[in-house]
Amino acid sequence: MSEKKKVILYTDGACSGNPGLGGYGGILMYGNARKEYSGSEQETTNNRMEIMAVIVGLEYLKYPCFVDVYSDSAYTVNAFNEGWIYGWKKNGWKKADGKAVLNVDLWEKLYQLTQINEVVFHKVAGHADNEYNNRCDELARDAITELRKTLPPTEED
């Protein structure tokens, strides 16, 4: 079996209204290869878009890889780095206070993907001087703009 490839994944999510129109963007990098992607949803939250950005990036991988994920979402990064997700899963997707964890559908999917790939999460400052994080933010916001063009005008338009 060949050695796992080392991949870098930058992600970001955005929302216009929270909840509201949402978008996500990511950049998957391996060596000199780079793939940008984005997507959107009509009725969502910023947190859902942050998680979706990571899920979609990991779903592009054809083989199990070592993946360094860079995100400005403390919610997403801390779920793994602080071990929250393992406790949530063990407790039937309930938080320490007994309340249901939000976004369980996405957390379950992301958890599965982290079992296939060896993923390390890194927190980056949002809207700072990181060119990749800024590009992911641009991709996410552009996805919202494109989605808005497909919808009927609202009173706000």
Side-chain angles (χ1 to χ4, degrees):
M1 185 167 155
S2 63
E3 189 175 318
K4 288 183 184 175
K5 295 177 178 169
K6 292 183 178 169
V7 174
I8 295 172
L9 175 60
Y10 275 86
T11 65
D12 198 19
C15 236
S16 180
N18 199 20
L21 299 179
Y24 59 84
I27 305 170
L28 200 53
M29 294 180 276
Y30 172 70
N32 292 326
R34 177 172 153 165
K35 173 165 187 56
E36 293 186 350
Y37 63 88
S38 63
S40 58
E41 292 181 16
Q42 281 191 46
E43 188 66 21
T44 191
T45 64
N46 190 61
N47 282 339
R48 287 188 66 82
M49 293 294 89
E50 294 282 3
I51 301 166
M52 274 300 296
V54 180
I55 289 171
V56 172
L58 293 176
E59 286 179 333
Y60 275 113
L61 302 174
K62 293 180 173 65
Y63 310 99
C65 297
F66 290 110
V67 186
D68 281 303
V69 173
Y70 294 88
S71 171
D72 63 10
S73 168
Y75 179 60
T76 305
V77 171
N78 290 344
F80 287 90
N81 289 353
E82 301 295 324
W84 302 343
I85 195 163
Y86 309 108
W88 296 339
K89 186 172 178 358
K90 184 176 148 192
N91 295 328
W93 299 103
K94 299 261 189 285
K95 297 186 284 186
D97 62 8
K99 293 181 182 172
V101 172
L102 298 176
N103 307 310
V104 171
D105 57 331
L106 299 182
W107 286 124
E108 286 177 326
K109 183 68 178 163
L110 183 52
Y111 179 83
Q112 290 170 355
L113 290 164
T114 63
Q115 300 307 293
I116 296 167
N117 301 283
E118 291 187 46
V119 181
V120 177
F121 287 85
H122 306 273
K123 174 77 172 69
V124 297
H127 312 285
D129 60 355
N130 185 304
E131 69 172 296
Y132 299 119
N133 180 257
N134 289 340
R135 177 62 182 145
C136 290
D137 180 63
E138 185 180 335
L139 289 165
R141 293 186 181 288
D142 286 351
I144 294 171
T145 299
E146 290 305 308
L147 174 61
R148 188 173 278 123
K149 290 177 184 176
T150 69
L151 301 174
T154 63
E155 291 178 18
E156 299 159 8
D157 291 339

